[in-house]
Amino acid sequence: MQTLELEIKTLLIDALNLEDITADDIANDAPLFGDGLGLDSIDALELGLALQKRYGVTLSPDAEETRRHFASIAALASFVAGARKL
């Protein structure tokens, strides 16, 4: 799972053009929104599209479920890993 978390961190940095951040700067369990990394809804859309392109995952139209998946890098990795098994 650590490899997947690193891949997602790199994808996040590349997709959102975060030039001043490295993968090491992002804690796996840190919030991606608000007080954490500070992402916003536009960032979520861009990241969601990048995840769909890279891993072929489909995000749920249920906003609450999507918020859970986007809570942290660890949550995203768990979602992607689970979606890959389907």
Side-chain angles (χ1 to χ4, degrees):
M1 184 76 83
Q2 288 181 346
T3 300
L4 181 56
E5 288 168 342
L6 180 59
E7 285 179 16
I8 292 172
K9 288 178 186 182
T10 303
L11 179 69
L12 181 142
I13 291 167
D14 292 343
L16 303 181
N17 297 315
L18 302 176
E19 297 173 0
D20 297 334
I21 296 178
T22 67
D24 291 337
D25 295 333
I26 304 170
N28 290 341
D29 58 351
L32 297 179
F33 298 89
D35 292 335
L37 198 53
L39 302 183
D40 61 23
S41 59
I42 301 298
D43 295 328
L45 287 173
E46 290 181 29
L47 181 56
L49 288 172
L51 288 166
Q52 287 176 336
K53 286 180 182 178
R54 174 82 183 257
Y55 299 109
V57 297
T58 303
L59 298 171
S60 170
D62 179 356
E64 190 60 36
E65 183 177 343
T66 300
R67 275 191 207 104
R68 281 195 310 271
H69 296 319
F70 279 72
S72 66
I73 294 295
L76 277 174
S78 178
F79 166 66
V80 170
R84 284 178 160 178
K85 292 179 183 177
L86 296 178

